[in-house]
């Protein structure tokens, strides 16, 4: 599960450009004391600059959309890995829980099992640690996007007003570009929402498994302490009975190791890759 999430930039370049240009276009209406000829010249220059900026922003956001699509596709693919890994963890919980209810289990088995539980908790915490930064960054992206959309809407309104006054093809073309940019930003909002849904569900599933393992670890710790105190695992000196107990202990250890093998994230990642390759989805 390592490396599932590539951290995006917190503020897009097109967003910063939009802030600068909206300030610039507002200046078009402030210079009321300048001569009419100077105002017309400077105003057209500002509009032209805005048009260039809008085209650059549109190209930048189109690339960003591709990036979001890739992240969503990757997130959907990782759902398979996560579902399989969680099924494996649930198998662990069930098996270890049954072991805890068994009588006569050697204390060393309980201690080893508790160690396996701790290892699983570390893996789960690591997976959650990869999701948290991506989710937090996405929250910032959502906030920045809302501001960006507001700025573009204002640019559209200003350009529409100018286009109605001047009726020149250049300003009308710039307005069309701004409206295209607004559509791209709306699509970006949809993709961000889908990604956020993927991240939140992933955190919820991992958190539930984490809590279950933490509770089980506490139960094993209490059971170990109780059996130490009551000396429930004193070995029998009879050779035959000792041999049976030793064989049982070995069988349980082998079972724990096998369960451990099929419940690690790496197992399901490798399995998932082979599955997707055989289906022709990845090369």
């Amino acid at each position: 599960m390592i490396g599932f999430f590539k951290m995006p930039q917190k503020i897009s370049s097109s967003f910063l450009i939009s802030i600068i240009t909206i300030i610039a276009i507002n200046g078009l209406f402030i210079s009321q004391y300048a001569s009419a000829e100077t105002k017309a010249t400077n105003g057209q220059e500002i509009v032209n600059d805005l048009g260039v900026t809008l085209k650059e922003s549109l190209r930048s956001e189109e690339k960003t959309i591709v990036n979001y699509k890739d992240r969503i596709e990757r997130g959907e693919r990782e759902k398979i890995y996560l579902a399989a890994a969680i099924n494996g963890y649930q198998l662990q919980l069930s098996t270890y829980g049954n072991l805890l209810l068994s009588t006569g289990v050697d204390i060393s088995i309980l201690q080893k099992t508790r160690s396996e539980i701790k290892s699983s908790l570390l893996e789960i915490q690591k997976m959650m640690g990869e999701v948290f930064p991506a989710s937090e960054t996405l929250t910032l992206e959502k906030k920045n996007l809302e501001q960006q959309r507001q700025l573009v809407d204002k640019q559209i309104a200003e350009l529409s007003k100018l286009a109605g006054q001047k009726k020149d093809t250049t300003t009308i073309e710039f307005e069309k570009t701004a409206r295209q940019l607004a559509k791209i930003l709306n699509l970006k909002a949809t993709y961000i929402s889908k990604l956020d849904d993927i991240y939140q569900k992933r955190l919820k599933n991992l958190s539930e498994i984490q809590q279950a393992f933490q509770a089980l670890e506490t139960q094993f710790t209490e059971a170990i302490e109780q059996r130490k105190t009551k000396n429930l695992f004193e070995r029998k000196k009879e050779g035959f009975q000792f041999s049976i107990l030793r064989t049982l202990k070995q069988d349980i250890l082998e079972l724990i190791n096998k369960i451990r093998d099929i419940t690690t994230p790496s197992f399901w990642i490798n399995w998932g890759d082979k599955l997707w390759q055989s289906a022709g989805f990845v090369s």
Side-chain angles (χ1 to χ4, degrees):
M1 303 288 284
I2 298 175
F4 275 177
F5 310 103
K6 182 177 181 181
M7 295 292 290
Q9 293 182 352
K10 293 184 178 179
I11 302 178
S12 65
S13 58
S14 59
F15 174 63
L16 295 176
I17 292 173
S18 297
I19 294 177
I20 296 172
T21 53
I22 192 61
I23 294 173
I25 197 172
N26 285 340
L28 181 63
F29 304 100
I30 297 176
S31 55
Q32 55 182 328
Y33 300 106
S35 66
E37 184 177 354
T38 301
K39 285 171 63 179
T41 301
N42 293 341
Q44 188 59 48
E45 288 178 355
I46 292 174
V47 171
N48 290 339
D49 290 342
L50 175 59
V52 172
T53 300
L54 285 170
K55 290 179 180 179
E56 291 176 352
S57 297
L58 181 60
R59 285 194 294 268
S60 175
E61 290 300 337
E62 286 173 342
K63 292 179 181 179
T64 301
I65 287 298
V66 174
N67 176 265
Y68 274 105
K69 288 177 66 177
D70 290 342
R71 289 165 65 184
I72 290 172
E73 289 174 2
R74 188 176 185 180
E76 292 293 339
R77 178 181 172 185
E78 289 164 0
K79 279 185 180 180
I80 297 178
Y81 301 157
L82 182 63
I86 286 179
N87 286 336
Y89 284 131
Q90 289 173 338
L91 175 60
Q92 265 189 320
L93 289 168
S94 176
T95 304
Y96 295 163
N98 290 334
L99 181 63
L100 189 64
L101 296 175
S102 302
T103 58
V105 179
D106 192 273
I107 192 171
S108 62
I109 298 293
L110 296 178
Q111 291 171 332
K112 178 174 175 56
T113 304
R114 184 175 61 178
S115 296
E116 295 296 339
I117 292 172
K118 289 182 178 180
S119 296
S120 295
L121 275 170
L122 288 175
E123 291 168 357
I124 294 169
Q125 289 168 1
K126 190 171 184 179
M127 285 189 283
M128 294 179 70
E130 292 176 350
V131 184
F132 276 126
S135 179
E136 290 174 355
T137 300
L138 197 64
T139 299
L140 291 176
E141 289 178 351
K142 288 168 64 178
K143 188 178 297 184
N144 293 336
L145 175 61
E146 286 306 311
Q147 296 178 21
Q148 190 177 6
R149 293 168 77 180
Q150 291 175 10
L151 289 173
V152 172
D153 287 343
K154 189 171 183 180
Q155 288 173 333
I156 291 173
E158 299 290 2
L159 286 169
S160 179
K161 182 178 179 180
L162 285 175
Q165 293 174 350
K166 301 173 65 175
K167 300 193 181 298
D168 65 295
T169 57
T170 301
T171 305
I172 293 174
E173 186 65 28
F174 291 163
E175 181 188 351
K176 288 181 180 179
T177 302
R179 293 188 183 278
Q180 288 178 328
L181 179 57
K183 290 182 179 180
I184 289 292
L185 294 180
N186 289 337
L187 182 59
K188 182 178 178 180
T190 300
Y191 285 167
I192 286 179
S193 179
K194 288 182 179 180
L195 266 178
D196 185 54
D197 183 61
I198 290 173
Y199 292 162
Q200 295 306 317
K201 287 182 179 178
R202 185 168 299 173
L203 286 172
K204 180 178 180 293
N205 291 334
L206 290 172
S207 178
E208 289 174 351
I209 290 293
Q210 181 189 46
Q211 292 173 17
F213 270 98
Q214 287 172 340
L216 190 61
E217 180 189 13
T218 299
Q219 292 174 3
F220 265 85
T221 298
E222 292 174 352
I224 290 170
E225 293 304 317
Q226 288 174 3
R227 296 195 186 191
K228 280 181 179 179
T229 302
K230 296 180 180 180
N231 197 22
L232 296 178
F233 292 96
E234 182 179 1
R235 290 186 177 181
K236 302 295 182 179
K237 294 183 179 180
E238 293 83 352
F240 177 72
Q241 188 171 5
F242 176 75
S243 176
I244 293 176
L245 290 173
R246 183 174 59 185
T247 302
L248 178 61
K249 175 180 176 180
Q250 185 61 35
D251 290 343
I252 294 175
L253 286 173
E254 290 178 1
L255 175 62
I256 291 172
N257 289 332
K258 287 180 181 179
I259 292 174
R260 177 66 180 163
D261 288 340
I262 66 172
T263 53
T264 56
S266 59
F267 174 87
W268 295 109
I269 291 173
N270 293 333
W271 173 83
D273 286 335
K274 291 178 181 178
L275 175 65
W276 279 69
Q277 288 173 3
S278 64
F281 293 118
V282 294
S283 57

